[in-house]
């Protein structure tokens, strides 16, 4: 019988560095040689560790922006990943027919069954998008408004209560960020699952979750869970070797992050089960709802097939994430920048915005109607400028070159190269937006250059662009139109600090609020 030779252990301290060196160096001098001339952080030439650690810290957008400002327009941010801070690259990387696929990065966002957001298969994506496009048709979007309105009215009632207890020059001080989150969660709960989560009424971050269909029901902090899920999935998407062992690592970021992934899926499982179980028992047959979940349940693909429960849950989870995280972060970001713009140039923003809203929305109306705000030009300019400056979708969404190589500005990118265009960076390039790039100026949208039109990318671009962007704009217009018609605000913080999971989230937004005319 063969015996283990203990002397082999003496080679271990030498073998490990050699193996690691081979793991990182061999691809550098073989597979990825074509990228050798592209500048970037030194460690990024060999691995994704630099980018992964940036995601781990919640500052990937800022790290990539720093790299572009140091190294230039085209930067190597990973061993096979090139970031291009040029609006022309949006067409190259994301347009219809370019043949690129979503990178393996998105596999870290899959829980059980793929959804439209994280599927990498073109045929699967086209099938899912056909069903989802029906759910977000113009007719469907119009039918969502009553659900938005009822939740905004409950939210306004809570804000009204805050105004009763002024603490500073007649204003009641509070952190607006959590309340934007509560509202966004309740609205998407109503639209995607059939009922609001009740976060606005409770004024707390908690919802019901069910890890498996038929399992125990628990209470989980949805906003916290969503934030952790974005952080962990973005990090593990860049460092896939850690995925199998993440829950065992001695770092709460990973252990709590893996737990958050399961809990967030549990929220969708519980909410979908509540609706489907009721339908299967006959409780809901008499009163179908005109919401997203109803369209997912009844939607059919090109072959006339419906989605199964697991797929409906995956798509509902996608809508939960997109409809809560992006809306809460964007509405708070735009809200902050409107107030910041007014503080920087007193009398230049709020008087014009409130005069426009006063003329469109009758006094005493609790929530703006979409018809009243959808064509207000100054409100739209404020929202666009706020989305540019905050850039909720700040990262460069990674696409992998497949089938054949591609080129940009004379550089050759072979099959297997990952390309991305960082929205935050192209939204903050002085050469595109001018020397006042960091200022909130809605008037810049009156006369956009062609470069500026191309560079504005809040909802991505091409066949993978956000299918729900019309709902998002509608929601932003109603929310912001309502609060600036109803309240006066004072801004109590100098800068809007953000933390990035998959999207960029304001950490806090301290303001004073009082009813107008009070």
């Amino acid at each position: 019988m063969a015996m283990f030779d203990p002397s082999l252990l003496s080679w271990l301290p030498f073998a490990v560095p050699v193996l690691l060196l081979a793991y990182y160096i061999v691809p550098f001098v073989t597979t990825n040689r074509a990228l050798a001339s592209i500048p970037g952080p030194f460690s990024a030439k060999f691995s994704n560790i630099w980018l992964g650690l940036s995601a781990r810290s919640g500052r990937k957008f800022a790290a990539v922006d720093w790299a572009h400002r140091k190294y230039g327009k085209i930067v190597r941010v990973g061993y096979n990943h090139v970031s291009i801070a040029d609006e022309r690259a949006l067409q190259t990387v994301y347009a219809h027919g370019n043949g690129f696929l979503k990178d393996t990065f998105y596999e870290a966002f899959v829980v059980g069954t793929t959804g439209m957001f994280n599927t990498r298969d073109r045929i699967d994506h086209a099938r899912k998008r056909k069903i989802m496009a029906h759910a977000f048709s113009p007719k469907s979007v119009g039918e969502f408004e009553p659900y938005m309105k009822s939740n905004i009215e409950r939210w306004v009632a809570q804000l009204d209560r805050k105004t009763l207890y002024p603490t500073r020059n007649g204003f009641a001080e509070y952190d607006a960020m959590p309340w934007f989150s509560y509202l966004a969660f309740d609205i998407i709960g109503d639209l995607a699952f059939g009922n609001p989560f009740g976060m606005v009424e409770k004024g707390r971050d908690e919802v019901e979750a069910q890890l498996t269909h038929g399992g125990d029901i628990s209470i989980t902090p949805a906003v916290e869970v969503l934030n952790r899920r974005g952080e962990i999935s973005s990090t593990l998407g860049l460092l896939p070797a850690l995925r199998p062992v993440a829950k065992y690592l001695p770092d709460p970021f990973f252990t709590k992050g893996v737990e958050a992934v399961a809990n967030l899926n549990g929220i969708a499982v519980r909410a979908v089960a509540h609706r489907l179980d009721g339908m299967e028992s006959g409780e809901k047959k008499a009163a179908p709802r005109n919401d997203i979940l109803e369209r997912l349940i009844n939607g059919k693909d090109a072959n006339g097939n419906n989605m199964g429960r697991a797929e409906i849950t995956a798509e509902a989870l996608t809508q939960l994430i997109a409809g809560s995280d992006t809306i809460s972060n964007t509405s708070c970001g735009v809200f902050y920048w409107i107030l910041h713009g007014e503080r920087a140039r007193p009398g230049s923003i709020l008087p014009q915005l409130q005069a426009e809203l006063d003329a469109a929305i009758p006094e005493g109306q609790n929530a703006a109607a979409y018809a009243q705000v959808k064509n207000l030009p100054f409100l739209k300019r404020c929202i666009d400028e706020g989305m540019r400056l905050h850039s909720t979708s700040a990262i460069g969404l990674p696409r992998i070159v497949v089938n054949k190589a591609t080129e940009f500005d004379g550089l050759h990118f072979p099959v297997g190269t990952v390309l991305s265009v960082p929205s935050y960076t192209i939204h903050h390039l002085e050469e595109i937006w001018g020397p006042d790039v960091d200022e909130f100026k809605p008037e810049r949208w009156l006369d956009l250059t062609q470069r500026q039109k191309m560079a504005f990318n809040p909802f991505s671009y091409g066949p993978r662009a956000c299918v729900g962007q019309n709902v998002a704009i509608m929601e932003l217009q109603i929310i912001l139109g309502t609060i600036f018609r109803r309240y006066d605000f004072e801004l109590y913080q100098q800068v809007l600090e953000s933390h990035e999971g998959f999207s960029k989230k304001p950490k806090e937004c301290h303001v004073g609020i009082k009813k107008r005319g009070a």
Side-chain angles (χ1 to χ4, degrees), residues 12 15 32 38 43 83 113 160-161 195-196 205 219 241 283 289 291 294 298 311 353 366 389 402 433 436 477:
L12 193 59
N32 303 306
I38 299 175
S43 64
S83 178
T113 303
D160 281 355
R161 292 187 185 101
N195 280 296
D205 177 18
I219 302 298
E283 293 175 11
R289 284 169 53 98
D291 60 18
E294 189 76 17
N298 295 320
E311 191 174 14
L353 177 60
N366 291 333
L389 283 164
V402 296
W433 301 97
D436 58 356
Q477 289 174 319

Side-chain angles (χ1 to χ4, degrees), residues 352-507:
Q352 185 173 349
L353 177 60
Q354 290 182 323
E356 184 178 74
L357 293 170
D358 289 349
I361 307 168
E363 185 176 357
Q365 186 173 315
N366 291 333
Y370 184 49
Q372 295 168 337
V373 295
K374 67 178 181 179
N375 294 318
L376 298 183
F378 191 70
L379 174 63
K380 185 180 186 306
R381 294 199 295 272
C382 286
I383 291 173
D384 285 347
E385 181 72 341
M387 288 196 295
R388 178 187 72 82
L389 283 164
H390 178 64
S391 302
T392 291
S393 179
I395 64 173
L397 302 175
R399 301 290 186 264
I400 189 166
V401 180
V402 296
N403 299 327
K404 64 178 183 179
T406 192
E407 291 188 355
F408 182 82
D409 268 9
L411 288 173
H412 178 80
F413 301 114
V415 170
T417 304
V418 175
L419 299 175
S420 62
V421 182
S423 294
Y424 178 87
T425 298
I426 64 172
H427 285 172
H428 288 78
L429 285 179
E430 185 173 324
E431 67 177 81
I432 296 177
W433 301 97
D436 58 356
V437 62
D438 294 323
E439 298 177 32
F440 181 82
K441 288 191 170 181
E443 60 267 27
R444 79 172 78 245
W445 296 86
L446 290 169
D447 188 25
L448 291 181
T449 67
Q450 189 58 36
R451 288 196 71 186
Q452 290 168 343
K453 291 176 183 177
M454 290 177 63
F456 187 51
N457 186 45
F459 297 105
S460 193
Y461 185 85
R464 297 281 193 152
C466 175
V467 71
Q469 60 183 281
N470 291 333
V471 175
I473 291 296
M474 173 183 180
E475 202 168 333
L476 289 170
Q477 289 174 319
I478 294 174
I479 290 171
L480 294 165
T482 295
I483 58 174
F484 282 110
R485 172 65 176 88
R486 191 175 186 86
Y487 305 106
D488 284 323
F489 296 96
E490 283 189 345
L491 183 59
Y492 295 145
Q493 63 188 66
Q494 293 302 310
V495 295
L496 188 68
E497 296 286 350
S498 296
H499 186 86
E500 185 182 47
F502 182 78
S503 61
K504 188 157 71 73
K505 181 182 186 66
K507 290 182 179 179

Side-chain angles (χ1 to χ4, degrees), residues 151 190 323 334 431:
N151 284 286
D190 224 350
V334 174
E431 67 177 81

